[in-house]
Amino acid sequence: MRRIAVLLGFAAAGALFLTTAATGGGQAPAAAGGSQPCPEPCRGTAAVRPEPAATADLRVEVPPPPFSDGIFPCTSCHNKDMPANRTRRQLSDMHTDIELKHDAEHRWCLDCHDADQRDQLHLASGEPVPFEESYRLCGQCHGEKYRDWRAGVHGRRVGQWNGAKRYLLCVHCHSPHQPHFKPMAPTAAPLRPQRIR
Amino acid sequence: MSSVGLFTRFVIGSGRVVSRGGRMYWTWIALLLVLIASGITAYTGQITVGLGVTAMRDQVSWGFYIGNFTFLVGVAAAAVVLVIPAYVYDWEPIREIVIFGELLAVSAITMCLLFVTVDVGRPDRLWHMMPPFGHINFPRSILAWDMVVLNLYFAVNFIVVTHILFRAFTGRHYQKKLVVPLVLLSIPMAIGIHTVTAFLYNGLAARPYWNSSILAPQFLASAFCSGPAILLFVLQLLRRVTTFRIRDEAIWKIAELMAYAMFVNLFLHGAEAFKEYYSNTEHLLYTRYWFQGIDGHHTLVPFAWSAVSLNALALVLFIVPRTRTNWVTLNIGCFATYAGCYIEKGMGLIIPGLTPDTLGEIYEYYPTVTELRVAAGVFAVGFLVFTLMLKVAVPIVLGELTLRRMTSTVDSDAPELPAPAAAH
Amino acid sequence: MANEHDARDTAVSRRQFASVAAAAAAGFLLTACGPRRLHEIPPDRLRKAIGDWEREYKEKYGRDVRVSDVGPMPGVLFAYALDLSRCNGNRRCVEACVAENNQSREPQVQWIRVLSMNKDKGIDFSDADPYYAPAEVPEPGRFYVPTACQHCRNPPCTKVCPTGATWTEKDGIVVIDYDWCIGCRCCMAACPYGARHFNWTAPKLPAEQVNTSMHYLGNRPRPRGVVEKCTWCIQRTRAGRYPACVEVCPTGARKFGNMLDPDSEIRYILENKRVLLLKEELNTMPKFFYFYGT
């Protein structure tokens, strides 16, 4: 009789505990293959953000380009008194401080800078683009980066997650002549845990 | 006389008994009081400065206090090693001494609750866990479960021993209708408190060392050897300093049960070690830190191997009948069991579970002097509670401390009471 | 005899009834007027509590403080994304977080921990180093994984809290009630990402460095003995702004937004990039997604 009572006691405790295990568990793991969250409406991984229509305004509001002091406008020197020299060469008179490390084997200055309208850049088609829209130029070769940048996924943005956001130009982080993101000094490492003295 | 009056006599009688003792008794009490005072001073420092005076940090956020708590929950659960033979199998030799197991359970739970109190960052807010003013996250939080079952187990044991002793004091037999159900309840509760404490660790997926199904059975196995080890010391001591008769068979049977528990304990540890070393996944790191050290971090390795050796020695000494029944080897075995389980449950469970931490960092934890002092103080409180309860219980059970004896010298018109019956 | 017995019994039971009634009344009063969890505090009590905090912080730091009580916006479930091909381990995020969220300067508390890992081994926590201090980052052969609270959808930390001091808000932010936490550190044991931090001693925060724009569940100065962690800058995000770490990151590795908004950059990342979760097998379902932007 007592042994039955003890066994019943165990059984009751066990049942109580299993109910806790069930309630304490929380959500079951997602089935294989569907492990990413996909809140409704779900478009899956095949969906790609639609490109803006050709007639839509492609301009993105950005802060002014980071010109070096006094370098702009280019036409203050490059005017009718200085005819364009389209020969591909190493510059020796001016702009010797610029060392091109941006596909230098195949590209040189006038592949991006416009020889006829010096205060602008130009696309591969020859269409001039202002410095404020230099992203269109970069986007010709760096298409994925450009698409990501437009979506706000590449590069730093500040502002409101549910409102106005401020973009930066590509050149605000990547020097157009040496675009590789420069190494920086990290801030101090965390302190190691210490026993109290 | 009303029950309140009787109980007052009981308290007064108990008070008189604890204030009388020989030199050994008072030396022991003095030692405990010194440790308690040292613990209180150390704890005051901890309360003013914060838990930063311990060696715990974000990387190892639980340490010595919680290790001791875990070990003592096991000791409290071990009362069941006596209760089952006594009440379920009606085995007379243990029936006579089962009350000491229950007293040990009460003292152990007192220490458990104290260790939790000294470990929390805001002990002034512990009431936050108690409804109706607080809020208890029951049943999802296992720590909430632990608090509920520990307090319930404490209450059950406390009610049973107080009732039995009070009744014996007034010369009456205890009420079977009250005691037997509570005692039978205490059996699944004893299993329950230690299972819940094991689940506290077991349920944490973030700690692979703990997140193993073997934890609850292993906790119980090590509890059933470590708790009775203390009891065996105490029983031998009682035989020496009081006229209480404890049969040899009772002691040897307890030692035999401890042997089986130790075997299961070592087997389960072996099973854990096999799984870690043979599967050889990244989770092996924690076991390796315990047994071998990692990258020059070796603090726990001597503890690991001491625990294994002590446990193995205890198993051998208790399994072999000749060494089990020899008083010298029996006591060596008891010490080895207690020390081995203490190390393996205390430091050997908590620290390797948290080292390396979740982000792979190794911070070597070992307790500071403050932690040792506070822990010693808590142990001293527990031992003091146990000593005082024994000081009262033994004379009552022997029939030396009764109401009749108290009142026969005080007033002659005391109500007639039936002759004192046996304690059980 | 019997009547005497009855009368005495009745007298006792009347006394018992009176004491039980008194206890119940006291209990009701204390429950109604006593301290409450911020989880279920009624709005008027919350406003009073905010007034108390603003006064307390002004007295302590000598500056005017504003504690916001803005609740979650409907239709918003926040998520975070981190571009592993962009993080270079510069730790500006750690600095900005400390300043924005009033973390203790001594002892040092940092909610973000940047781990330097070996490119040959990939994401391997046993080989992670948070203490890297080279002259320049990124170091050759290393990549960087910043970690903080992942704001899981199946959080192991809120499950284990015995007092219910930590919970997930409707907009997905996992928060802590600093005045209810008892400091048991169960949540710290339960968190697989080392995201929770404890105030082992009283936090020290210089008055001139206090960020006075606070939220009651966010960057209020914490007391000793409680747990704290990243709240996705609840004081900023509930006002529509990006968390401080997102805005300060010089490489643009950090992205944040509303997972329920199909036009958010978060959804773009989830739909178009290779996304991974840390310790995914633990089924915590973090809302912090790591991805390779390249």
Side-chain angles (χ1 to χ4, degrees):
Chain A
M1 186 58 203
R2 285 192 185 176
R3 289 166 212 193
I4 295 173
V6 171
L7 280 169
L8 280 174
F10 276 116
L16 196 57
F17 218 79
L18 282 170
T19 347
T20 301
T23 57
Q27 298 165 302
S35 57
Q36 290 302 340
C38 220
E40 293 302 309
C42 182
R43 298 202 291 250
T45 50
V48 165
R49 203 148 293 274
E51 275 301 314
T55 50
D57 184 12
L58 290 168
R59 281 196 83 246
V60 174
E61 183 122 4
V62 287
F67 290 118
S68 316
D69 283 336
I71 208 76
F72 191 84
C74 312
T75 44
S76 50
C77 295
H78 290 274
N79 45 35
K80 49 181 171 43
D81 299 327
M82 194 188 292
N85 180 353
R86 292 169 204 263
T87 318
R88 210 189 127 105
R89 67 194 185 281
Q90 186 80 18
L91 299 177
S92 52
D93 289 337
M94 270 294 285
H95 303 304
T96 48
D97 51 320
I98 298 176
E99 192 198 338
L100 190 63
K101 280 190 187 167
H102 194 172
D103 196 17
E105 202 188 338
H106 305 110
R107 307 259 161 263
W108 83 300
C109 322
L110 292 181
D111 287 321
C112 293
H113 290 276
D114 195 298
D116 300 316
Q117 298 178 59
R118 286 290 174 159
D119 286 335
Q120 303 224 340
L121 305 159
H122 69 92
L123 301 178
S125 60
E127 178 193 342
V129 278
F131 281 97
E132 291 77 18
E133 292 176 41
S134 52
Y135 46 84
R136 292 171 59 197
L137 173 55
C138 310
Q140 285 181 121
C141 295
H142 303 284
E144 284 141 12
K145 300 281 191 296
Y146 175 54
R147 187 182 64 201
D148 285 348
W149 174 81
R150 286 197 79 91
V153 164
H154 181 107
R156 184 176 169 210
R157 280 204 309 184
V158 299
Q160 304 251 324
W161 59 265
N162 69 347
K165 302 166 183 34
R166 212 184 59 148
Y167 284 83
L168 294 171
L169 283 172
C170 317
V171 297
H172 280 115
C173 297
H174 301 280
S175 158
H177 309 123
Q178 296 186 3
H180 185 76
F181 199 94
K182 302 279 175 290
M184 24 191 322
T187 56
L191 296 173
R192 288 181 191 270
Q194 291 268 342
R195 291 167 77 89
I196 209 161
R197 294 272 162 257
Chain B
M1 209 189 302
S2 71
S3 353
V4 177
L6 284 173
F7 200 78
T8 319
R9 289 289 170 101
F10 174 59
V11 172
I12 293 173
S14 308
R16 279 201 206 132
V17 148
V18 302
S19 51
R20 278 192 219 119
R23 203 160 37 147
M24 205 168 64
Y25 173 71
W26 285 114
T27 319
W28 172 241
I29 297 287
L31 170 67
L32 291 178
L33 289 175
V34 164
L35 285 174
I36 292 174
S38 149
I40 291 178
T41 340
Y43 186 62
T44 314
Q46 183 182 293
I47 278 281
T48 26
V49 177
L51 279 165
V53 300
T54 70
M56 293 186 281
R57 294 289 179 266
D58 285 354
Q59 289 79 354
V60 177
S61 50
W62 276 342
F64 196 54
Y65 296 150
I66 293 291
N68 281 306
F69 160 78
T70 314
F71 176 72
L72 288 166
V73 174
V75 169
V80 83
V81 173
L82 270 69
V83 170
I84 291 182
Y87 283 94
V88 181
Y89 288 96
D90 263 323
W91 199 53
E92 203 53 41
I94 287 192
R95 195 68 193 272
E96 295 162 356
I97 55 170
V98 67
I99 194 166
F100 300 126
E102 289 155 353
L103 291 175
L104 178 65
V106 170
S107 325
I109 296 283
T110 309
M111 289 192 271
C112 289
L113 296 173
L114 276 175
F115 268 118
V116 169
T117 310
V118 302
D119 182 69
V120 294
R122 296 300 300 251
D124 57 313
R125 291 183 185 178
L126 277 172
W127 64 269
H128 285 189
M129 265 200 286
M130 297 174 221
F133 315 125
H135 170 91
I136 191 163
N137 185 12
F138 191 91
R140 288 197 94 208
S141 162
I142 304 296
L143 188 61
W145 268 89
D146 218 2
M147 287 299 113
V148 168
V149 299
L150 280 178
N151 283 296
L152 256 177
Y153 185 71
F154 179 85
V156 163
N157 278 296
F158 190 74
I159 290 171
V160 166
V161 299
T162 312
H163 176 83
I164 291 177
L165 292 175
F166 178 57
R167 282 290 184 130
F169 172 77
T170 55
R172 292 172 293 173
H173 203 269
Y174 63 81
Q175 271 184 307
K176 279 205 164 157
K177 260 195 302 210
L178 172 68
V179 169
V180 172
L182 280 180
V183 165
L184 291 181
L185 176 66
S186 80
I187 297 174
M189 283 211 73
I191 310 289
I193 58 170
H194 216 24
T195 307
V196 171
T197 307
F199 283 177
L200 196 58
Y201 305 108
N202 195 358
L204 302 180
R207 311 290 175 175
Y209 188 68
W210 294 338
N211 190 219
S212 116
S213 334
I214 219 173
L215 215 63
Q218 189 262 308
F219 266 39
L220 286 167
S222 86
F224 292 161
C225 29
S226 50
I230 308 175
L231 265 178
L232 289 185
F233 277 138
V234 169
L235 291 173
Q236 292 173 77
L237 191 67
L238 285 178
R239 280 214 286 201
R240 207 163 287 207
V241 302
T242 68
T243 55
F244 199 86
R245 198 177 128 267
I246 300 166
R247 286 187 243 188
D248 282 349
E249 303 141 284
I251 293 186
W252 294 334
K253 181 58 80 180
I254 294 173
E256 187 190 336
L257 294 173
M258 282 168 64
Y260 302 143
M262 180 54 84
F263 171 73
V264 174
N265 185 31
L266 287 173
F267 174 73
L268 293 177
H269 275 306
E272 275 184 304
F274 168 79
K275 175 247 183 184
E276 297 298 355
Y277 279 102
Y278 189 83
S279 311
N280 199 14
T281 66
E282 242 188 40
H283 296 171
L284 171 59
L285 265 177
Y286 310 97
T287 309
R288 205 147 53 85
Y289 176 67
W290 172 236
F291 283 120
Q292 300 164 255
I294 297 178
D295 283 343
H297 299 285
H298 291 126
T299 314
L300 292 183
V301 176
F303 289 103
W305 293 104
S306 312
V308 172
S309 325
L310 287 166
N311 282 339
L313 173 68
L315 175 66
V316 166
L317 290 177
F318 281 166
I319 278 268
V320 175
R322 226 176 3 164
T323 45
R324 183 167 71 234
T325 49
N326 174 305
W327 298 108
V328 174
T329 47
L330 175 77
N331 282 307
I332 293 176
C334 283
F335 173 77
T337 309
Y338 186 85
C341 288
Y342 181 73
I343 295 171
E344 155 234 313
K345 212 49 159 317
M347 295 294 272
L349 172 79
I350 306 296
I351 314 306
L354 299 170
T355 318
D357 78 347
T358 50
L359 299 180
E361 183 177 343
I362 295 182
Y363 165 69
E364 292 226 87
Y365 168 91
Y366 55 94
T368 59
V369 169
T370 306
E371 285 175 277
L372 293 171
R373 283 174 63 191
V374 172
V378 171
F379 267 102
V381 170
F383 278 121
L384 183 66
V385 166
F386 194 41
T387 308
L388 295 178
M389 288 196 297
L390 280 176
K391 200 79 167 64
V392 170
V394 170
I396 290 181
V397 166
L398 284 174
E400 288 166 12
L401 171 63
T402 59
L403 182 68
R404 171 179 283 258
R405 289 208 186 195
M406 268 182 73
T407 54
S408 64
T409 52
V410 178
D411 46 34
S412 49
D413 56 339
E416 268 299 307
L417 291 166
H424 281 97
Chain C
M1 280 301 157
N3 291 340
E4 256 183 63
H5 188 72
D6 284 340
R8 215 182 18 210
D9 271 358
T10 323
V12 165
S13 74
R14 248 188 263 132
R15 223 184 311 135
Q16 283 175 342
F17 172 77
S19 54
V20 167
F28 174 75
L29 272 171
L30 276 167
T31 319
C33 310
R36 297 278 284 272
R37 284 195 310 155
L38 291 176
H39 186 44
E40 61 237 0
I41 194 171
D44 53 321
R45 291 273 300 273
L46 176 59
R47 253 174 263 119
K48 181 180 171 303
I50 284 182
D52 293 338
W53 288 323
E54 285 175 350
R55 264 188 300 279
E56 180 194 329
Y57 301 142
K58 173 157 178 134
E59 209 182 289
K60 183 162 183 194
Y61 300 106
R63 296 179 55 193
D64 281 314
V65 156
R66 200 182 71 79
V67 178
S68 158
D69 63 348
V70 170
M73 288 183 220
V76 169
L77 185 64
F78 289 123
Y80 205 112
L82 193 126
D83 193 343
L84 288 175
S85 31
R86 298 278 168 274
C87 178
N88 66 356
N90 60 72
R91 292 200 190 104
R92 301 286 187 273
C93 49
V94 179
E95 214 177 30
C97 173
V98 165
E100 170 69 29
N101 290 294
N102 293 321
Q103 285 160 41
S104 168
R105 307 306 196 258
E106 201 210 311
Q108 185 192 68
V109 173
Q110 290 179 341
W111 290 354
I112 300 176
R113 208 159 175 80
V114 184
L115 304 172
S116 160
M117 299 206 187
N118 190 337
K119 274 187 180 168
D120 290 335
K121 290 196 170 182
I123 295 191
D124 180 0
F125 288 105
S126 63
D127 208 30
D129 177 21
Y131 300 108
Y132 62 94
E136 275 185 343
V137 283
E139 303 156 281
R142 312 290 295 182
F143 70 106
Y144 300 89
V145 181
T147 59
C149 178
Q150 311 272 300
H151 295 275
C152 306
R153 267 162 297 154
N154 191 9
C157 55
T158 55
K159 193 163 59 177
V160 297
C161 176
T163 59
T166 178
W167 64 90
T168 310
E169 288 270 295
K170 283 207 176 65
D171 52 3
I173 305 183
V174 178
V175 296
I176 301 171
D177 179 350
Y178 308 119
D179 294 328
W180 196 254
C181 171
I182 62 172
C184 72
R185 310 187 298 290
C186 260
C187 56
M188 291 177 72
C191 175
Y193 306 107
R196 286 176 170 256
H197 307 274
F198 190 70
N199 286 287
W200 298 100
T201 53
K204 285 205 199 59
L205 178 60
E208 68 274 10
Q209 293 180 30
V210 169
N211 174 10
T212 55
S213 169
M214 304 176 185
H215 188 278
Y216 77 102
L217 290 171
N219 59 341
R220 300 194 279 130
R222 276 73 64 191
R224 169 166 62 96
V226 301
V227 174
E228 58 180 73
K229 66 173 190 64
C230 161
T231 58
W232 278 347
C233 282
I234 196 171
Q235 66 280 359
R236 294 171 65 119
T237 51
R238 283 195 175 167
R241 299 173 64 195
Y242 281 120
C245 49
V246 171
E247 287 211 325
V248 87
C249 176
T251 62
R254 290 172 169 271
K255 300 295 164 197
F256 179 85
N258 176 11
M259 204 154 67
L260 302 179
D261 171 11
D263 293 327
S264 62
E265 56 252 55
I266 288 294
R267 286 286 288 272
Y268 178 93
I269 291 166
L270 293 176
E271 290 162 18
N272 294 298
K273 297 295 177 188
R274 287 164 290 149
V275 176
L276 65 100
L277 298 170
L278 289 183
K279 303 196 186 189
E280 186 167 9
E281 71 278 7
L282 299 183
N283 194 34
T284 51
M285 295 160 73
K287 294 199 293 295
F288 197 110
F289 301 97
Y290 292 85
F291 69 102
Y292 292 99
T294 321

